[in-house]
Amino acid sequence: MAEGASVYPTLPDRPVKNTICLFDVDGTLTPARRTVSPAMLQILSALRHKCAIGFVGGSDLAKQQEQLGTPQLPVTALFDFSFAENGLTAYRLGEQLASQSFVGWLGEERYKQLVKFVLRYLADVECPVKRGTFVEFRNGMVNISPIGRNASVQERNDYEKYDAQHQIRAKFVAALKEKFPDFGLTYSIGGQISFDVFPSGWDKTYCLQHLESEKNLSGVEYTTIHFFGDKTYKGGNDYEIYEDKRTTGHKVESPEDTIAILKELFDL
């Protein structure tokens, strides 16, 4: 998929009309926090010749570049729509769209209250190991990890099993909801080791407003939006967009599952 956007048909000229495929990243396009496979890039390139494609992930753009991009091309050139931080950081055909700020929405004082509580809670959480970067500030959200985002792949795998047994993240989320019931925040568990905190309504459905604006830019109205994700259960970070009436949701178990569904749906 080392082709630039210029070699694909323009958005209005894609053969499968008014259609876009949107993908979660971890567990859908790539193994969690790992890089994309050549097979996935090949199928996405073939799909892009038929309809528009985009990704929507909770991580910041730098992490998505590490997972999906190549040394030759930025990730924003490999997809028609690139939605980092659930679409709070958004690109259309390589050009950045307007974005919003979590702190600007919440206010500095409330943000400090939130972070102070999180840091105190983290100090008492029991985990098999603790590494670094427990609170990661992003433009549109805060990501919280009881084990720390600097954990190795093996440590992440071990923690995921530990968390499934002891419900560390679920209990943490419950404590935050009880402490800050009037902050208007949503807590979304995703990936293996962390959960996101963001304003209610700033889940992955936030990116859909950018797609709705496309009819004013190119004349394309995306009446069919296929969404592929793995964390589609209630509380998972794919749940809201998977269940949204504007999308056709596809639950996947792995990147290989994504490829199989795409081949069947689009005769690739």
Side-chain angles (χ1 to χ4, degrees), residues 23-35 56-59 63-64 67-68 149 156 190-192 194 204 228-231 237-238 252-255:
F23 302 91
D24 164 55
V25 181
D26 283 340
T28 301
L29 292 180
T30 76
R33 289 300 298 133
R34 309 293 289 274
T35 55
V56 53
S59 295
K63 291 185 178 63
Q64 287 151 355
Q67 290 179 259
L68 299 172
R149 295 193 62 86
R156 286 166 177 261
Q192 295 177 290
S194 66
K204 287 184 179 176
F228 300 79
D230 64 323
K231 298 288 193 299
N237 64 357
D238 296 323
V252 303
E253 302 296 333
S254 66

Side-chain angles (χ1 to χ4, degrees), residues 214-230:
E214 185 59 32
K215 60 186 174 184
N216 300 321
L217 297 172
S218 68
V220 176
E221 185 172 359
Y222 288 116
T223 53
T224 302
I225 303 172
H226 292 282
F227 172 75
F228 300 79
D230 64 323

Side-chain angles (χ1 to χ4, degrees), residues 1-5 7-8 41-42 45 48 70 72-73 77-78:
M1 194 173 170
E3 299 168 275
V7 307
Y8 296 98
L41 290 176
Q42 185 176 15
S45 180
R48 196 177 180 188
T70 72
Q72 293 77 31
L73 281 174
L78 297 174

Side-chain angles (χ1 to χ4, degrees), residues 81-83 87-92 95-99 210 217:
F81 295 90
S82 303
F83 299 129
L88 270 297
T89 298
Y91 285 78
R92 173 190 179 271
E95 298 294 326
Q96 187 168 9
L97 304 174
S99 64
H210 295 299
L217 297 172

Side-chain angles (χ1 to χ4, degrees), residues 12-250:
D13 292 331
R14 304 287 166 94
V16 184
K17 299 299 183 185
N18 303 314
T19 298
I20 183 169
C21 289
L22 271 182
F23 302 91
D24 164 55
V25 181
D26 283 340
T28 301
L29 292 180
T30 76
R33 289 300 298 133
R34 309 293 289 274
T35 55
V36 68
S37 70
M40 179 63 77
L41 290 176
Q42 185 176 15
I43 203 82
L44 289 174
S45 180
L47 178 63
R48 196 177 180 188
H49 281 284
K50 292 195 170 189
C51 69
I53 66 170
F55 70 81
V56 53
S59 295
D60 58 32
L61 192 64
K63 291 185 178 63
Q64 287 151 355
Q65 173 64 30
E66 291 173 6
Q67 290 179 259
L68 299 172
T70 72
Q72 293 77 31
L73 281 174
V75 65
T76 54
L78 297 174
F79 293 82
D80 299 303
F81 295 90
S82 303
F83 299 129
E85 301 182 58
N86 294 349
L88 270 297
T89 298
Y91 285 78
R92 173 190 179 271
L93 301 176
E95 298 294 326
Q96 187 168 9
L97 304 174
S99 64
Q100 294 195 54
S101 160
F102 176 41
V103 170
W105 180 89
L106 186 63
E108 189 64 45
E109 287 307 311
R110 281 190 161 191
Y111 174 71
K112 287 194 293 186
Q113 290 177 46
L114 176 70
V115 172
K116 285 178 181 178
F117 178 84
V118 166
L119 292 174
R120 283 193 291 264
Y121 190 100
L122 282 167
D124 295 325
V125 170
E126 287 297 329
C127 293
V129 299
K130 288 196 177 186
R131 294 300 178 245
T133 312
F134 301 98
V135 180
E136 183 175 81
F137 175 78
R138 300 174 182 169
N139 182 56
M141 66 182 71
V142 174
N143 179 267
I144 298 168
S145 174
I147 187 178
R149 295 193 62 86
N150 293 352
S152 68
V153 170
Q154 186 58 54
E155 288 165 346
R156 286 166 177 261
N157 292 339
D158 293 343
Y159 174 81
E160 185 176 27
K161 296 173 186 174
Y162 182 86
D163 188 72
Q165 180 181 355
H166 296 279
Q167 297 293 296
I168 302 300
R169 290 181 290 177
K171 291 174 184 176
F172 202 158
V173 165
L176 285 163
K177 287 181 176 178
E178 181 179 358
K179 180 66 176 177
F180 304 107
D182 59 341
F183 273 26
L185 297 172
T186 291
Y187 307 87
S188 183
I189 296 172
Q192 295 177 290
I193 64 168
S194 66
F195 62 92
D196 297 325
V197 183
F198 48 84
S200 297
W202 287 19
D203 51 61
K204 287 184 179 176
T205 61
Y206 185 93
C207 77
L208 298 179
Q209 64 185 277
H210 295 299
L211 300 183
E212 290 170 348
S213 299
E214 185 59 32
K215 60 186 174 184
N216 300 321
L217 297 172
S218 68
V220 176
E221 185 172 359
Y222 288 116
T223 53
T224 302
I225 303 172
H226 292 282
F227 172 75
F228 300 79
D230 64 323
K231 298 288 193 299
T232 58
Y233 51 83
K234 190 172 179 62
N237 64 357
D238 296 323
Y239 174 76
E240 291 85 0
I241 191 168
Y242 176 80
E243 293 287 340
D244 195 283
K245 63 182 181 181
R246 293 168 289 181
T247 69
T248 300
H250 304 273

